[in-house]
Amino acid sequence: MPELPEVETVRRGLETLLGRSAVIDHVELRRRDLRAPIPRDLPRRLAGQPIIAVRRRAKYLIFDTPAVGLLCHLGMTGTWRLAPPGDERTHDHCYVHLADGRRLAFRDPRRFGLLALTTAARPHAALTGLGPEPLDAAVFHADALLAACRGRRAATKAVIMDQAVVVGVGNIYAAEALFRAGIRPARPAGRLGRDRCERLVGAIRSVLAKAIAAGGSTISDFRQAGGDGGYFQHEFQVYDRDGQPCLACRATLRQRRIAGRSSVYCPGCQR
DNA sequence: CGAATCACCTGATCGC
DNA sequence: TGCGATCAGGTGATTC
């Protein structure tokens, strides 16, 4: 489900729900076998802790407490919701019971998600080796992308989805950014000139920012923590539009598999 | 070493 | 209606 805009939307929803004074009473694990097992001591480490912030790094959420951070990745199907009494669903793997009586539920049918602990002193391994945040112009810019692409023969689409190059870009927004930058997804990354890197950086940044402003994209069952769906799916130019006309030049959009992921592009507009 | 492929899981959808 | 094949917003391990 979630790329950067969806995770950021969830983060903002959680921030609104939790406000400034949420305190964890206790954490209840229903099953531990997600992508990696949820640590046994996670409930004990979080019990009684106030949530002082909900941050996002890449596609990860971090619930900060004075003692430790609760690290969460939504995988493909992870969701957080406020679960009133009686609202228990299959694939609810974790309940965070708050001191005010409310309950946050983490639900993840495919179990590709992650719940773990992280601290400033010992950051979780998943947080090391992450590339720059795309919305931070100080760290993600054409020179950085150009340097990351140098010598790489992999498809440009695969490279911008590489979380060591730039974080937060997944299959949907990679396709959309490449269309907006006029670059074929299969173009070897090492053959991007500075002009294309410039355009691609701008396209990634603007498509992610617009998607955040739209509350993310709702396909299948994504919902932000407040329960509302985003609406950026109505802005898709190429994703899931194989065989349909390009909205810019009317050519028929094509789909191929690149690095194992379906990739739609316009053979007329993208070079 | 980099790059492509597989594996992890469940659920929705599609063609027969 | 039922059933198998295929696909899905991610990422880490394995293979080439």
Side-chain angles (χ1 to χ4, degrees):
Chain A
M1 157 201 13
E3 303 182 33
L4 186 149
E6 289 74 38
V7 178
E8 177 62 21
T9 299
V10 170
R11 188 200 69 76
R12 292 178 184 187
L14 288 166
E15 193 170 70
T16 301
L17 286 178
L18 294 173
R20 285 280 155 235
S21 57
V23 175
I24 297 171
D25 183 80
H26 68 285
V27 175
E28 173 189 356
L29 300 183
R30 300 180 116 202
R31 70 181 295 169
R32 301 200 309 125
D33 55 336
L34 307 191
R35 179 173 109 201
I38 301 174
R40 275 186 197 288
D41 66 339
L42 183 144
R44 180 177 63 72
R45 302 273 300 277
L46 290 166
Q49 292 291 315
I51 298 171
I52 53 184
V54 184
R55 288 184 293 133
R56 179 190 59 74
R57 170 72 173 116
K59 299 175 190 171
Y60 292 88
L61 291 166
I62 303 162
F63 298 75
D64 275 324
T65 79
V68 70
L70 170 60
L71 180 68
C72 174
H73 194 291
L74 301 174
M76 294 277 258
T77 54
T79 55
W80 283 98
R81 73 177 193 283
L82 219 43
D87 181 19
E88 290 88 33
R89 307 184 198 175
T90 53
H91 310 302
D92 281 352
H93 307 316
C94 174
Y95 292 123
V96 176
H97 297 265
L98 301 176
D100 63 11
R102 293 183 300 169
R103 175 175 66 164
L104 284 177
F106 179 69
R107 180 171 186 269
D108 181 14
R110 288 177 78 177
R111 285 184 282 128
F112 288 177
L114 176 76
L115 285 179
L117 296 172
T118 189
T119 62
R122 292 188 354 116
H124 190 277
L127 296 174
T128 66
L130 290 174
E133 286 287 334
L135 299 177
D136 184 347
V139 290
F140 182 59
H141 42 67
D143 288 334
L145 182 60
L146 195 59
C149 289
R150 190 163 52 224
R152 292 189 67 163
R153 275 178 283 191
T156 300
K157 178 155 172 284
V159 170
I160 61 173
M161 290 174 66
D162 179 345
Q163 301 299 296
V165 172
V166 58
V167 300
V169 179
N171 202 38
I172 291 180
Y173 297 106
E176 294 297 318
L178 287 163
F179 173 77
R180 286 159 170 80
I183 298 167
R184 287 213 185 193
R187 170 178 280 266
R191 299 199 13 250
L192 288 178
R194 192 160 202 300
D195 53 336
R196 280 192 172 86
C197 281
E198 203 93 58
R199 292 208 307 273
L200 187 48
V201 165
I204 289 170
R205 185 169 296 136
S206 76
V207 76
L208 294 178
K210 284 176 183 159
I212 291 171
S217 301
T218 298
I219 67 179
S220 73
D221 64 348
F222 166 72
R223 291 290 179 278
Q224 60 190 79
D228 302 325
Y231 53 88
F232 193 76
Q233 67 278 11
H234 303 303
E235 309 297 320
F236 291 167
Q237 310 276 297
V238 290
Y239 179 79
D240 203 26
R241 294 195 65 238
D242 178 34
Q244 295 179 235
C246 171
L247 297 172
C249 77
R250 315 309 294 174
T252 301
L253 299 180
R254 296 231 174 90
Q255 180 171 66
R256 26 173 316 198
R257 273 194 110 66
I258 294 169
R261 312 299 296 275
S262 78
S263 308
V264 183
Y265 67 100
C266 174
C269 296
Q270 293 176 255
R271 297 285 157 184

